[in-house]
Amino acid sequence: MADIEPMITLGEKMHEESNFKHLNLDRQKLTELGYFAIANPDIYYAIVAEDENKCIKGMFVGLITEYYFGKDLMATDLLVYVDKSKRGAMASVLMFKEFEKWATRKNAKEVRPATSTGIEIERTRKLYRHLGYEVSGNTFRKVL
């Protein structure tokens, strides 16, 4: 619970850096999502990466859900973000590894991360490949 506010602050940085920055960011909605995720640990997973137990330098929020076409479970990320000044260390790798362990315990058949923020796309692709993921699609957008 104590991490919700710092996560929202970090989320504001992510929002400003992303291709979503032209869209509204609602702190109250994010707070409610944080409480909902904590209240539903069978569905949601959240972890933070701290810098010497002082400040949050990264965060990962994921969830598990059934595929739309069947009953098998897949785990996917809702967001993964590491503060720009802290990238290049092991934070993302360690958070992903913990998420994969959680997904395994939840009996997910697959982990399917995605990226839609437009933040360091090539670097993110390399990270996913390094972690053993394969490309399985694309994300497109059109601003109206």
Side-chain angles (χ1 to χ4, degrees), residues 4-72:
I4 291 175
E5 185 60 33
M7 287 175 76
I8 291 171
T9 300
L10 191 60
E12 289 173 324
K13 287 183 176 184
M14 180 178 87
H15 184 262
E16 186 56 35
E17 191 178 346
S18 77
N19 59 28
F20 295 110
K21 65 183 166 195
H22 68 286
L23 300 171
N24 170 265
L25 181 133
D26 187 320
R27 290 182 66 85
Q28 181 60 37
K29 185 171 184 174
L30 292 173
T31 301
E32 291 167 8
L33 174 62
Y35 286 121
F36 186 80
I38 290 168
N40 293 282
D42 288 336
I43 300 169
Y44 285 92
Y45 174 87
I47 190 170
V48 296
E50 295 179 329
D51 193 5
E52 298 177 13
N53 294 325
K54 294 178 183 169
C55 66
I56 293 176
K57 64 179 179 179
M59 59 185 171
F60 187 115
V61 178
L63 60 105
I64 195 157
T65 187
E66 290 182 352
Y67 290 91
Y68 70 91
F69 53 81
K71 299 288 186 181
D72 286 328

Side-chain angles (χ1 to χ4, degrees), residues 79-92:
L79 67 90
V80 180
Y81 184 74
V82 174
D83 188 276
K84 196 174 194 174
S85 67
K86 305 293 183 181
R87 291 183 195 147
M90 292 293 291
S92 293

Side-chain angles (χ1 to χ4, degrees), residues 94-127:
L94 296 173
M95 290 188 295
F96 259 100
K97 297 269 186 207
E98 291 301 314
F99 180 63
E100 289 172 350
K101 290 177 191 174
W102 177 83
T104 299
R105 289 193 304 271
K106 295 295 180 187
N107 297 314
K109 298 284 185 181
E110 295 181 320
V111 176
R112 288 186 166 256
T115 180
S116 60
T117 61
I119 300 172
E120 297 196 34
I121 296 168
E122 286 306 313
R123 190 173 188 180
T124 302
R125 184 186 317 261
K126 286 178 184 175
L127 170 67

